[in-house]
Amino acid sequence: MTAATLTPVPTTATSPEARRTWWSDVWLVLVRELRPVAREPFSVVFGLVQPLVFLALFGPLLVGSAGGGLPTSDVWLWFVPSVLVMTTLFGTSTTGSNLQDEMASGSYERMLVTPLSRSSQIVGRALKEVVPLVAQGLLVVLVMLPFGLRPDPVGVVVGFVLLAVLGVGLGALSYALAIAVRQQEWMFWAVQQTFLFPLMILSGLLLPLEAGPRWMQVASAANPLRWVVDAERALFAGDLTAPVVAWGFVAAAATAVVGLAVGVRAILRASR
């Protein structure tokens, strides 16, 4: 009788490296970036100081001039979406300064030597902007409800999605700027401030552009922020199917695509 020969079945051990995907890298970076926010949630509340100041001081001026050319009699439905877009613009355009701090401390270089893909490090950071933006937007809406704000609930939710898409793009552009000017830190703020206020004014955030000169109206058409502002106002007013809503999403998506492409290109070139 011949003893049967047992052939051991080879077992393949899957290493953690093999199980890693690009999306898991993005998730790791996203969680890492959100930890400081979770440890210090007051930073999200502190970011509301500026928008609340605008609502408290600029809002009453608009209420007094409501009959003087504003496109809607409900001033809060016109102005609160503007403040939310302004919060997105100010908050995400400055996030590159956090990356500059990491460069100064050496944390950024330590991230570069990890197995995480370079592109995931930009995408994960940019996606992190969604959480504080939605939290701040929700707080602003809740604060304004006792003052007479009556937005469309579905429009508010869709509006937050629109702001999140815009915030990802602006955040990625801010990180790209921080990487590009890493040898000259002051240049980050010079460029950020140079673009910030023209974009804000030409978007009609604070005053309706319909009353402005013709050249400002033409220039605003090339400003993606203007389309997002118009879309937010339509969404809050409950006009979810307005064409301007679609144009707002196109503008926000284009900003996100361009921002992520520029950000990924910047980190790949800087780490060669």
Side-chain angles (χ1 to χ4, degrees):
M1 181 176 175
T2 306
T5 303
L6 298 178
T7 304
V9 178
T11 57
T12 303
T14 306
S15 67
E17 284 294 312
R19 290 197 299 268
R20 265 189 41 242
T21 64
W22 183 82
W23 286 109
S24 67
D25 288 355
V26 171
W27 176 254
L28 288 174
V29 175
L30 174 63
V31 172
R32 174 184 180 272
E33 293 297 312
L34 285 175
R35 280 175 183 158
V37 180
R39 282 197 297 265
E40 298 180 8
F42 184 74
S43 62
V44 176
V45 179
F46 185 76
L48 290 174
V49 172
Q50 189 177 54
L52 292 180
V53 167
F54 268 90
L55 286 168
L57 300 182
F58 203 81
L61 295 176
L62 291 175
V63 172
S65 61
L70 287 178
T72 175
S73 59
D74 194 331
V75 176
W76 294 128
L77 282 180
W78 188 89
F79 191 50
V80 171
S82 302
V83 170
L84 294 180
V85 176
M86 183 171 61
T87 304
T88 304
L89 176 64
F90 277 71
T92 56
S93 66
T94 58
T95 51
S97 65
N98 298 332
L99 187 56
Q100 287 186 316
D101 293 338
E102 291 188 26
M103 291 174 182
S105 66
S107 175
Y108 172 70
E109 280 70 18
R110 289 195 291 274
M111 282 288 289
L112 290 180
V113 298
T114 63
L116 297 172
S117 67
R118 301 291 190 267
S119 58
S120 70
Q121 296 187 31
I122 285 293
V123 176
R125 289 174 187 273
L127 289 176
K128 164 254 178 184
E129 303 303 324
V130 173
V131 176
L133 282 180
V134 173
Q136 290 178 337
L138 186 60
L139 287 174
V140 168
V141 171
L142 291 176
V143 166
M144 293 307 298
L145 287 178
F147 294 93
L149 175 67
R150 294 294 180 269
D152 181 84
V154 178
V156 171
V157 174
V158 178
F160 285 166
V161 174
L162 178 60
L163 291 178
V165 176
L166 176 69
V168 168
L170 292 176
L173 287 172
S174 183
Y175 288 126
L177 176 61
I179 295 172
V181 300
R182 59 181 304 175
Q183 302 299 331
Q184 296 171 301
E185 187 176 337
W186 61 270
M187 184 67 78
F188 174 84
W189 295 108
V191 175
Q192 190 259 357
Q193 294 292 311
T194 299
F195 284 95
L196 182 69
F197 288 100
L199 283 174
M200 186 176 70
I201 294 171
L202 290 176
S203 67
L205 272 172
L206 301 178
L207 293 170
L209 290 171
E210 288 77 5
R214 177 62 182 164
W215 68 265
M216 290 190 72
Q217 298 177 24
V218 173
S220 71
N223 182 4
L225 211 61
R226 172 258 175 104
W227 300 103
V228 175
V229 170
D230 290 346
E232 282 290 325
R233 287 171 179 157
L235 289 169
F236 269 60
D239 196 2
L240 276 65
T241 58
V244 72
V245 173
W247 283 114
F249 272 97
V250 169
T255 304
V257 170
V258 171
L260 290 174
V262 172
V264 170
R265 179 181 172 84
I267 195 171
L268 290 177
R269 292 188 63 179
S271 56
R272 283 176 185 169

